[in-house]
Amino acid sequence: MGYTKSGHFCSILCTITTTLLVLHCEARSQHGHHHHRDRFIRARGTEFVLHGKPFLFNGFNSYWMMSVAAEPADRGKVSEVFREAAANGLSVCRTWAFSDGGGDRALQASPGVYNERVFQGLDFVISEARRYGVRLILSLVNNFKDFGGKAQYVEWARKAGVGVNSEDDFYTNPVVKGYYKNHIKAILTRVNTITKTAYKDDPTIMAWELMNEPRCERDYSGRTVNGWVQEMASYTKSLDRKHMLEVGMEGFYGESMPEKKQYNPGFQVGTDYITSNLVKEIDFATIHAYPDIWLSGQNDAAQTAFVRRWMWSHWNDARQILRKPLVFAEFGKSKRDAGYTENGRDAFLNTVYAGIYSSARASGGSMAGGLVWQAMAEGMESYYDGYEIVLSQEPSTTGAVARQSRAMAALSRVLSGRAAEAAAAYAVGGRRRVGMRRHPHRHRRRNHL
């Protein structure tokens, strides 16, 4: 039959070569797949990771971006803020992906009816963030009436003949919840007219936020908001599993852990920080703090002491109870406060920044970063709210911001080095442990004991 040893050898060699080629192609395709996945920031335990390494950040809020970018002539202001932010090491921006109701810059004029010009403004914001290397947290609805919010959704339902009584029906009425789910879907499935990428596939977006500062006056226990969070988190993840998701909470404690209420600033808002952030589809927790509003009338020392306690308590929860990363998503000090000074504001920011840094260092990154409220461009006086920071005009505050960016970036490198060392040690340890597998029961028993 012409069968020889050399033919047999060639056949084996051919098989081995083919197998290696297939494995190499699979590895390459898997590497490509992982590389693609790696471009998204993810939560792993109590830290964020990017490209497999710990990710810490310093960032900012600029809620107004889509609204301003809806007018092409004003888009330079968006570019200016991203440019200044990137120059000062700010790598995450939180902004609105909603504007509900009236006005020529409303994104959603009525349920499911979108203004394409405004949507293209949001496309521009995302494409500019990508250009300057800034990640985005996009919020999907407001608790408050600014830009429509939950009150607008309830009003739409009322006009459609639905029996709704208060804006808190937003959380429970099936029609209103349907409107909101449709908005989630419209945003997530939007294909960016500039980048040609669907929002749900764009790694420029770091996370979705269900609502800016959910509150519910009808039910101070937090259970109503919590039921809504569970439903909407599950729905959002059914459309998009690539991106992280957070609630948008300020951090107020509710009924599940009454002993924690001592950390609240003396009032309730109808949320339960613990139960809502324990929802499995929620990837990380957030806190906000405005001691100048929450504790108005108290002196700087009392307000600073409150913020330190607030941070410490929530950082502890993130590590020990939630086992998820924590982001300080809003903080600031208003120029409109009685007795405001720039030094006073910088001291407040430095207190928050020091707390974020020391918590991140002590826990290997579970306090992942902070987002100051808020950055604006020059010539935006009509948007000023007292908290505005124009980076190009306020050198001492910009200095405080830039120092924090450098500190968090340096700590990120340190943690990445530690992670690499741990992985190398694990690999060596793993090889040593291979021999122990001969007695799996004994080994397991020792672990058990």
Side-chain angles (χ1 to χ4, degrees):
M1 299 276 296
Y3 185 83
T4 63
K5 279 187 178 174
S6 67
H8 179 58
F9 178 72
C10 284
S11 154
I12 290 171
L13 198 61
C14 216
T15 307
I16 290 170
T17 307
T18 307
T19 306
L20 286 173
L21 200 59
V22 167
L23 287 171
H24 176 66
C25 290
E26 278 181 3
R28 282 198 65 158
S29 100
Q30 277 196 328
H31 175 72
H33 177 63
H34 286 307
H35 179 68
H36 176 69
R37 283 172 58 82
D38 267 348
R39 288 158 49 218
F40 290 83
I41 297 169
R42 303 185 181 281
R44 185 173 65 194
T46 58
E47 65 180 12
F48 291 136
V49 291
L50 175 61
H51 304 308
K53 295 176 179 175
F55 176 76
L56 299 175
F57 65 89
N58 190 30
F60 63 103
N61 286 273
S62 285
Y63 76 85
W64 47 268
M65 283 190 160
M66 175 183 70
S67 212
V68 167
E71 181 50 65
D74 293 337
R75 287 181 176 177
K77 292 181 172 62
V78 171
S79 305
E80 182 188 323
V81 166
F82 279 134
R83 186 168 56 248
E84 289 282 341
N88 287 287
L90 295 163
S91 58
V92 176
C93 168
R94 176 171 169 265
T95 191
W96 296 170
F98 62 81
S99 180
D100 311 305
D104 67 330
R105 297 199 189 187
L107 174 63
Q108 188 178 195
S110 58
V113 177
Y114 288 86
N115 182 329
E116 178 60 21
R117 186 174 60 93
V118 180
F119 234 145
Q120 287 183 16
L122 187 54
D123 292 345
F124 178 79
V125 171
I126 294 169
S127 71
E128 285 298 273
R130 176 190 285 194
R131 187 152 82 99
Y132 286 101
V134 175
R135 303 285 178 140
L136 296 172
I137 296 174
L138 295 180
S139 189
L140 297 168
V141 72
N142 206 356
N143 172 71
F144 307 101
K145 287 178 179 167
D146 309 271
F147 297 90
K150 67 184 184 190
Q152 178 64 72
Y153 275 83
V154 172
E155 181 58 28
W156 282 333
R158 185 182 288 113
K159 281 182 177 163
V162 180
V164 284
N165 308 309
S166 86
E167 60 183 57
D168 284 338
D169 286 332
F170 177 85
Y171 299 114
T172 53
N173 182 274
V175 173
V176 180
K177 288 195 291 185
Y179 292 162
Y180 176 68
K181 284 180 179 171
N182 290 342
H183 178 62
I184 295 174
K185 188 173 186 179
I187 294 287
L188 272 56
T189 58
R190 165 78 174 182
V191 176
N192 192 312
T193 54
I194 300 169
T195 66
K196 311 302 180 196
T197 304
Y199 288 10
K200 66 187 178 64
D201 298 324
D202 192 339
T204 305
I205 297 164
M206 172 177 168
W208 305 111
E209 175 176 285
L210 289 177
M211 181 184 240
N212 172 49
E213 301 188 341
R215 294 181 170 194
C216 178
E217 289 182 16
R218 184 191 289 167
D219 176 9
Y220 281 135
S221 74
R223 281 187 285 273
T224 297
V225 168
N226 194 59
W228 179 85
V229 167
Q230 288 182 318
E231 182 177 343
M232 297 309 167
S234 172
Y235 178 73
T236 305
K237 288 287 189 177
S238 77
L239 298 175
D240 176 6
R241 295 209 160 268
K242 291 178 180 171
H243 286 103
M244 295 188 293
L245 179 65
E246 48 100 351
V247 183
M249 287 192 147
E250 299 161 274
F252 288 80
Y253 294 105
E255 295 303 316
S256 68
M257 298 186 79
E259 69 278 13
K260 293 268 182 187
K261 287 190 194 172
Q262 63 175 312
Y263 297 105
N264 287 346
F267 58 95
Q268 299 274 92
V269 299
T271 59
D272 189 314
Y273 172 80
I274 298 292
T275 54
S276 290
N277 282 306
L278 279 171
V279 170
K280 71 176 188 297
E281 292 88 357
I282 297 301
D283 295 292
F284 62 95
T286 61
I287 55 171
H288 300 180
Y290 290 101
D292 55 346
I293 299 172
W294 295 355
L295 305 174
S296 65
Q298 296 194 27
N299 63 28
D300 282 355
Q303 291 182 6
T304 300
F306 165 79
V307 167
R308 287 197 173 118
R309 264 197 322 273
W310 190 245
M311 292 173 78
W312 175 84
S313 173
H314 290 87
W315 170 65
N316 243 0
D317 298 334
R319 285 163 51 239
Q320 296 176 3
I321 302 170
L322 306 175
R323 301 185 187 282
K324 296 177 182 182
L326 173 65
V327 172
F328 201 153
E330 278 192 37
F331 55 90
K333 195 166 178 64
S334 175
K335 294 171 179 170
R336 296 175 185 172
D337 288 346
Y340 166 84
T341 64
E342 195 167 316
N343 284 346
R345 179 175 68 180
D346 293 350
F348 174 72
L349 294 186
N350 284 328
T351 295
V352 173
Y353 283 150
I356 291 170
Y357 177 83
S358 59
S359 301
R361 192 179 60 180
S363 61
S366 69
M367 175 73 94
L371 304 164
V372 70
W373 187 278
Q374 67 166 322
M376 289 196 174
E378 295 178 19
M380 288 185 62
E381 286 76 8
S382 64
Y383 283 86
Y384 283 4
D385 60 356
Y387 293 89
E388 68 281 346
I389 299 168
V390 180
L391 292 165
S392 58
Q393 292 181 342
E394 303 179 59
S396 76
T397 302
T398 303
V401 167
R403 278 192 299 277
Q404 178 72 356
S405 299
R406 288 194 296 271
M408 293 301 276
L411 183 55
S412 216
R413 288 192 293 273
V414 169
L415 294 181
S416 294
R418 279 189 208 155
E421 282 170 20
Y426 178 80
V428 171
R431 283 201 292 277
R432 284 185 190 142
R433 281 200 297 275
V434 168
M436 297 166 83
R437 286 184 188 151
R438 290 177 200 154
H439 306 289
H441 298 297
R442 195 184 342 152
H443 187 48
R444 197 179 305 144
R445 171 109 188 215
R446 201 175 333 139
N447 273 350
H448 179 65
L449 296 173

